Amino acid sequence: MSEKSSNSSGSDEDVEPESGHPVELGGVLSKWTNYIHGWQDRWVVLKNNTLSYYKSEDEREYGCRGSLCLSKAVITPHEFDECRIDISVNDSVWYLRAEDPKHRLRWIDSIELHKVESGYGSESSLRRHGSMLSLTSAASGFSATSTSSFKKGHSLREKLAEMETFRDILCRQVDTLQKYFDGCADGVSKDEFQRDKVVEEDEDDFPTSARPNGDCLHNNNGSKEKLFLPASPKGMNGIDFKGEAITFKATTAGILSTLSHCIELMVKREDSWQKRLDKELEKRRRVEDAYKSALSELKKKSHYGGPDYEEGPNSLINEDEFFDAVEAALDRQDKIEEQSEKVRIPRLTPVPPGDAYSVIGIHRFAKQVEDVVQNHMTYSLQDMGGDANWQLVVEEGEMKVYRREVEENGIVLDPLKATHAVKGVTGHELCHYFWDTDVRNDWETTIENFNVVETLSDNAVIVYQTHKRVWPASQRDVLYLSAIRKILATNENDPDTWLVCNFSVDHDNAQPTNRCIRAKINVAMICQTLVSPPEGNKEISRDNVLCKITYVANVNPGGWAPASVLRAVAKREYPKFLKRFTGYVQEKTSGKPILF
């Protein structure tokens, strides 16, 4: 998995100068594809707040096969699998697995960082998109980008522009009128000064007749009065005071009207935004309720189609899809088994003498073991006829597999019996390799792991084992007592007989867990050795040895699965198991001394 730094940065509006994009991440993760193909390695890239995947690193030039936007993604580390992470966006769910917990933690941290930087519902989104309404100052006026996203904003913007125009006109008119008023004030001051001067002269001088310049005139009463023309300051004659006054009045009226219109628009805008806010709050409430409900449902059952999809009688997956998924999983296990057999290193395990297994050891389960052994020797060796209703389901050479259809509360409990004959091995050898836990993994391919919980005696142990999960069935585990016995002959004509029985028990050190469904078993392998006398005085060889095998199994799977699927799997897997096991024993004993 590689890790790369992204040098690209957004515009000044998108990110702050001192901040950059989160680190880009790319590498190989296992992705759950579907119930047929299971987990597949994919090249996954985390870049620009988006998670994308490609079939492989070399095929990136052909384009990604899918991508998720991380702004609304829900990242869920798996409860039990330390390498797995589930990423969901609405109805889309990606199931991913890293190579180890350390890599999974790196991916989770990177994805969370990209999700935060995506700006969804964060402060950075406000910096990125800007304020919806930006009136920075009265001088700068209305911002050109402040309401570009609002259709209703155009009316308010036009009115504010009119206000700017009215303000300029009003300022010019006020300057003009101010000059006029200043001129008038200067003229009035000069007129009063001249009048005061004339009155003083009249008190000292005698009356005179009218002067040619018109400064002194007789009035109708015969008295003299000094008359002066109005002062005409510079520039006053060019001003139309009446017109300016009318224009000033119209301008102020326009400003008041525009202000009223702006106030009305703002009130409407406030009502509109309040309604939108109420709607958004209601949407948020509904989304939160839906999220809580979905989260609750998600905890109850796994996502449809995912690797955690639980089995059950109310399963949404139909029987055909269930069967196809099981078949595909079993086929994959067969391929893995074939590959592992090519590199398998034979292990030599000594077979102890038969006397060590002739008696049951002394332990708390001794009586139970004795009852199970006697029961199998009484009923398991009976013929297939009679009223037992055994049905022959498989016949391949010497091997025959029978089944009785039994269901209890909808769970298939079909007892199974198989008979087989193998040349060149004895019953002691077959039972030993079937019972010996040291070689269990050499021939058993369905077990994920197992351990011996307690050793009761030399011929009895308690074993806990988990079986590989076959999706969509849940994983199973089994806790059972395994005992090996040599059956003592009652007369000289009885064949040399050995038996291994495995039956479920309870133990304080292996309690059931939520990770697996606990299955119950009662299995027995009974092996009888038949020897044909050699010709002449020759010693008995493996060519003279034939082992007759009777294998019986009563299994309660502990959970629900379609009956047709369980029966089809049993029909397919039990013959394969017998062939695989007997072939393994023949290979291990070939060329070695015969042990009866």
Side-chain angles (χ1 to χ4, degrees), residues 574-594:
Y574 277 109
K576 287 174 55 180
F577 150 71
L578 281 176
K579 287 182 179 180
R580 181 172 64 246
F581 172 69
T582 54
Y584 167 80
V585 177
Q586 285 177 317
E587 179 183 355
K588 292 295 290 287
T589 57
S590 177
K592 297 179 183 178
I594 302 174

Side-chain angles (χ1 to χ4, degrees), residues 146 316 451 507 510 560:
S146 61
L316 297 178
N451 65 286
H507 200 282
W560 180 91

Side-chain angles (χ1 to χ4, degrees), residues 417-432:
K417 179 183 289 189
T419 60
H420 194 27
V422 183
K423 288 185 178 182
V425 293
T426 65
H428 185 190
E429 293 168 335
L430 277 169
C431 284
H432 167 74

Side-chain angles (χ1 to χ4, degrees), residues 212-445:
N213 57 3
D215 289 341
C216 183
L217 297 176
H218 292 277
N219 56 18
N220 296 332
N221 298 327
S223 63
K224 295 186 295 181
E225 184 177 351
K226 193 74 172 181
L227 299 177
F228 298 92
L229 294 176
S232 300
K234 184 178 179 181
M236 288 180 58
N237 293 333
I239 298 176
D240 182 5
F241 175 76
K242 185 176 181 180
E244 289 294 335
I246 294 173
T247 305
F248 181 80
K249 182 179 180 181
T251 304
T252 53
I255 288 178
L256 294 175
S257 176
T258 304
L259 284 173
S260 299
H261 195 178
C262 289
I263 293 173
E264 182 181 355
L265 287 176
M266 291 179 181
V267 171
K268 291 181 178 179
R269 177 72 57 81
E270 183 180 6
D271 294 340
S272 175
W273 277 106
Q274 185 62 43
K275 291 179 180 178
R276 293 184 65 177
L277 177 61
D278 294 340
K279 289 182 179 179
E280 291 298 325
L281 291 175
E282 179 63 21
K283 286 182 180 179
R284 178 176 178 177
R285 185 190 63 78
R286 290 199 298 265
V287 169
E288 289 177 349
D289 293 342
Y291 173 76
K292 292 178 181 178
S293 177
L295 193 62
S296 177
E297 287 295 324
L298 189 62
K299 292 180 179 179
K300 293 180 181 178
K301 66 176 184 178
S302 302
H303 193 274
Y304 177 73
D308 291 328
Y309 189 72
E310 296 294 342
E311 64 182 48
N314 298 320
S315 173
L316 297 178
I317 188 171
N318 59 49
E319 288 195 17
D320 292 337
E321 291 177 333
F322 203 110
F323 180 81
D324 291 340
V326 170
E327 283 287 299
L330 293 176
D331 289 339
R332 284 195 297 270
Q333 290 186 8
D334 289 344
K335 291 181 180 179
I336 295 174
E337 178 187 348
E338 292 175 1
Q339 295 173 357
S340 62
E341 284 181 351
K342 295 179 181 178
V343 296
R344 180 179 294 165
I345 300 176
R347 187 188 312 179
L348 299 178
T349 302
V351 180
D355 293 341
Y357 300 132
S358 298
V359 295
I360 297 176
I362 301 174
H363 50 78
R364 63 185 182 280
F365 293 100
K367 179 64 169 60
Q368 191 173 355
V369 172
E370 181 64 31
D371 292 341
V372 171
V373 169
Q374 293 299 326
N375 185 69
H376 282 299
M377 290 303 300
T378 302
Y379 298 103
S380 299
L381 296 177
Q382 290 180 349
D383 293 335
M384 298 299 106
D387 299 329
N389 295 324
W390 288 101
Q391 303 173 12
L392 179 64
V393 292
V394 177
E395 184 174 6
E396 297 181 8
E398 295 291 335
M399 182 188 303
K400 294 181 180 180
V401 179
Y402 301 86
R403 181 184 67 215
R404 285 193 294 113
E405 293 189 359
V406 177
E407 292 188 20
E408 183 177 323
N409 297 326
I411 299 177
V412 174
L413 305 176
D414 292 356
L416 181 140
K417 179 183 289 189
T419 60
H420 194 27
V422 183
K423 288 185 178 182
V425 293
T426 65
H428 185 190
E429 293 168 335
L430 277 169
C431 284
H432 167 74
Y433 285 109
F434 184 71
W435 178 81
D436 190 2
T437 56
D438 291 338
V439 297
R440 181 70 52 82
N441 284 332
D442 290 347
W443 58 268
E444 179 61 271
T445 61

Side-chain angles (χ1 to χ4, degrees), residues 13-155:
E13 296 178 357
D14 292 338
V15 295
E16 296 177 357
E18 66 272 11
S19 64
H21 285 300
V23 175
E24 176 185 339
L25 191 63
V28 176
L29 294 176
S30 294
K31 182 179 182 296
W32 177 263
T33 54
N34 52 51
Y35 60 84
I36 295 296
H37 298 95
W39 297 97
Q40 297 290 333
D41 288 343
R42 295 290 183 258
W43 181 262
V44 182
V45 175
L46 179 61
K47 182 179 180 182
N48 295 334
N49 311 319
T50 302
L51 192 67
S52 307
Y53 78 92
Y54 306 80
K55 186 174 182 181
S56 64
E57 184 178 7
D58 298 332
E59 297 188 10
R60 286 181 296 173
E61 59 184 12
Y62 298 113
C64 71
R65 294 198 164 196
S67 61
L68 289 178
C69 179
L70 299 177
S71 59
K72 300 181 181 180
V74 178
I75 297 93
T76 308
H78 196 264
E79 184 178 1
F80 303 118
D81 193 339
E82 295 181 351
C83 298
R84 187 174 135 195
I85 175 176
D86 299 346
I87 304 174
S88 60
V89 178
N90 296 329
D91 293 335
S92 178
V93 182
W94 285 12
Y95 305 96
L96 304 173
R97 293 187 83 253
E99 56 182 327
D100 54 49
K102 180 180 178 181
H103 284 87
R104 183 185 80 160
L105 181 60
R106 180 188 300 178
W107 276 97
I108 292 176
D109 292 342
S110 299
I111 292 173
E112 291 288 357
L113 181 60
H114 276 257
K115 181 180 177 183
V116 171
E117 290 296 329
S118 66
Y120 176 72
S122 64
E123 185 179 348
S124 60
S125 63
L126 299 178
R127 295 197 300 268
R128 179 176 294 107
H129 297 100
S131 174
M132 291 300 180
L133 188 61
S134 178
L135 290 174
T136 57
S137 66
S140 62
F142 192 74
S143 172
T145 60
S146 61
T147 57
S148 59
S149 61
F150 290 97
K151 295 181 180 180
K152 294 183 178 180
H154 294 300
S155 298

